[in-house]
Structure formats: structure tokens, C-alpha cells
Amino acid sequence: VPLVMLVEDDRFSAGYAMSLLARENDVFHVRTGEEAVAYYLDYAPDVVLIDVHLPGMQGTDVLQMIKAIDLSAHCVMVSVDNEEGSVIKSSRNGAYSYLLKPYSRERLLWTVRQSPHVKGVDGIQAVTV
């Protein structure tokens, strides 16, 4: 079963994404960039969804740190804005793609399935860390 880490500080956005992701994946949620880096080291998830605007460490910095740990990490940036600078910085730092909020169930699941680590196995477990 694919393991997805959701890095999101907004409870509503996190709850929405987790409810969609839990149908096909094991998913866990962290609220800060610092937690994301620590949990990546412990769990090496198949997909990492990173909100661009986080308290403290910004999402683009989280991306850069995770890619420094594991160049093959499949990271997707998530944001309400499509500011060209954020998109370009994310791309340069190794993000696979940039997912705009609000997103549909189909778009989120399709994005997760694009990871070379995900083979479409169904699962139903979700936890909040």
C-alpha cells in the first residue's frame, strides 16, 4: 500500500486531503516543515505532498531538504496561489509537480498515482501524527 505524507498546517485542507487519500493509501499528516523532514527520515513515504505556505520553514525549503536526503523522493507542492516564483523555485528544487487548491478528488489521486513508487494498490488506513 502506498504511503503518503501530507505536510499541511490548515486543519480543513488536511482533513479534506486525508479523507480522499485514505481510500487508496496509507497516509499520515504533519503540520510543520521541521516535522516533515524528521518524519521523512523515519518513514521514507512514497509520495510527499507539501503545502508551500507553512509556519516557520516554508514548503520550498522542506522540499529542498527532503531532496537533499533522498534525490528520488516524489514531492508535490500544494498551494492556493500559482505565483510564478513559487512554481519555478519548486521545479528547480526538484518538485514533481505543483497542485493548486482547491483540487478535485480525481486530480489529487491522479497526482499521487504518478509517483514511480505507487503501483495502484488499494488501502484504507489514515493516521494523524
Side-chain angles (χ1 to χ4, degrees):
V1 175
L3 179 61
V4 177
M5 178 169 66
L6 175 64
V7 186
E8 174 63 68
D9 63 315
D10 180 74
R11 289 183 188 262
F12 176 78
S13 295
Y16 174 70
M18 289 190 57
S19 69
L20 300 177
L21 291 167
R23 297 176 186 170
E24 297 183 6
N25 310 276
D26 284 343
V27 58
F28 66 98
H29 168 230
V30 297
R31 291 177 179 88
T32 68
E34 294 81 5
E35 287 178 311
V37 173
Y39 278 89
Y40 190 87
L41 287 168
D42 289 341
Y43 297 102
D46 299 307
V47 179
V48 183
L49 301 170
I50 307 169
D51 186 21
V52 171
H53 303 290
L54 295 169
M57 184 187 303
Q58 289 296 300
T60 52
D61 297 327
V62 175
L63 168 66
Q64 193 170 14
M65 291 184 77
I66 289 175
K67 294 299 276 191
I69 294 166
D70 179 3
L71 196 55
S72 70
H74 190 84
C75 299
V76 175
M77 303 308 291
V78 181
S79 183
V80 295
D81 68 56
N82 61 352
E83 181 182 306
E84 186 177 352
S86 292
V87 175
I88 290 171
K89 186 174 182 181
S90 297
S91 177
R92 286 184 181 153
N93 286 342
Y96 174 77
S97 66
Y98 199 95
L99 184 62
L100 288 175
K101 296 178 189 175
Y103 44 77
S104 67
R105 174 185 180 275
E106 294 77 21
R107 179 71 178 152
L108 178 62
L109 295 176
W110 181 87
T111 300
V112 168
R113 290 180 194 128
Q114 298 313 299
S115 170
H117 310 294
V118 175
K119 302 298 181 203
V121 180
D122 289 335
I124 56 170
Q125 185 177 4
V127 296
T128 297
V129 178

